[in-house]
Amino acid sequence: MTFNRSIKIAPSILSADFANFGAEIQAIEAQGADWVHIDVMDGHFVPNLTFGPPAVKAFRPHVKTVMDVHLMISPVDAYIDAYAEAGADILTAHIEAGPHTHRTLQAIKGAGMKAGVALNPGTPAQAVEHLLDLTDLICVMTVNPGFGGQKFIDMTDKIRTLRAMIGDREVHIEIDGGVDTATAPLVAAAGADVLVAGSAVFRGGSVDMPSVYGDNIKAIRAAAQG
Ligand code: DX5
Ligand code: ZN
């Protein structure tokens, strides 16, 4: 993975056909996805349940771009090696998931992955100030995590603060939740470079009509690029 700040679209397979993940991943990549975003939920940190390490491992051979794994689980540390083994390129943990995020980020990097830290809407930018040198990606949640298809919560002030705090460090700012053609320009202008989109990418398409995914990805990218 080489670092750049150009806009990257990361479709969340939370909005894909759950009976057909391999074909869905291949379809979004063929249609221009830059990364593939995988939402891991534990029914405890968030009130929903999705995939564990064996499922993520099964996705891996289908992902030719970047496998971006967003853990919405608590605790995190006991599972880090399992997600490394499953083939995650980036592993993101929530800062709210436990008291020792610094240790968690060290362990993620120690296991050979890029380390991400996610912030719920109520968590201030300053919470990551002393973690920046251990962080490859900051995920700014623009919904309360747990479900796709929720309404965007405006976090542009937080994004601007983070962008200034990062300076010239190679840290991505990822936005997750409610990203579509209307909200993408706001977050991109504030300094985000990775846009996660579930419903706005998969809406109206299918593996039999993949060009709709392509149109949706192009429209979000164009909106973000202004
Ligand atoms: C929310 C997840 C998101 C979600 C985004 O908890 O982390 O990745 O799938 O879905 P949309 O784009 O539909 O808001
Ligand atoms: Zn996510």
Side-chain angles (χ1 to χ4, degrees):
M1 275 182 73
T2 52
F3 182 86
N4 68 63
R5 288 198 194 285
S6 61
I7 295 292
K8 290 162 283 293
I9 309 295
S12 164
I13 61 165
L14 191 60
S15 295
D17 174 1
F18 269 45
N20 209 4
F21 281 121
E24 289 276 40
I25 290 168
Q26 290 170 23
I28 52 173
E29 288 196 340
Q31 294 295 324
D34 299 287
W35 293 7
V36 175
H37 184 85
I38 297 174
D39 286 308
V40 173
M41 305 186 186
D42 67 352
H44 164 73
F45 180 69
V46 291
N48 196 2
L49 262 179
T50 56
F51 329 109
V56 174
K57 189 173 189 171
F59 304 153
R60 178 70 261 188
H62 301 282
V63 179
K64 306 294 183 213
T65 57
V66 171
M67 192 156 85
D68 173 32
V69 178
H70 176 192
L71 298 181
M72 287 160 273
I73 69 173
S74 174
V76 172
D77 293 11
Y79 299 96
I80 290 171
D81 288 345
Y83 285 99
E85 164 81 8
D89 294 302
I90 304 171
L91 194 65
T92 296
H94 270 262
I95 198 163
E96 306 85 2
H100 301 297
T101 309
H102 190 283
R103 177 186 291 152
T104 299
L105 294 172
Q106 283 179 320
I108 293 172
K109 291 178 89 71
M113 296 172 284
K114 299 278 187 194
V117 58
L119 304 180
N120 281 336
T123 302
Q126 287 72 19
V128 298
E129 197 166 352
H130 299 287
L131 301 173
L132 287 179
D133 290 331
L134 272 173
T135 301
D136 299 293
L137 174 146
I138 301 170
C139 175
V140 178
M141 295 304 302
T142 40
V143 296
N144 287 297
F147 303 94
Q150 301 183 78
K151 193 175 170 330
F152 177 82
I153 303 168
D154 189 348
M155 291 282 134
T156 44
D157 282 353
K158 191 194 288 189
I159 299 165
R160 269 189 222 99
T161 304
L162 287 167
R163 184 68 197 83
M165 209 186 266
I166 287 168
D168 54 14
R169 291 180 182 87
E170 295 194 349
V171 180
H172 296 289
I173 298 183
E174 176 177 75
I175 308 303
D176 192 0
V179 172
D180 59 18
T181 53
T183 57
L186 308 176
V187 298
D193 62 300
V194 185
L195 308 186
V196 175
S199 36
V201 166
F202 285 92
R203 185 181 297 134
S206 69
V207 294
D208 299 320
M209 256 205 311
S211 63
V212 176
Y213 298 159
D215 294 343
N216 290 341
I217 290 168
K218 276 194 210 86
I220 297 166
R221 193 190 307 281
Q225 288 171 339

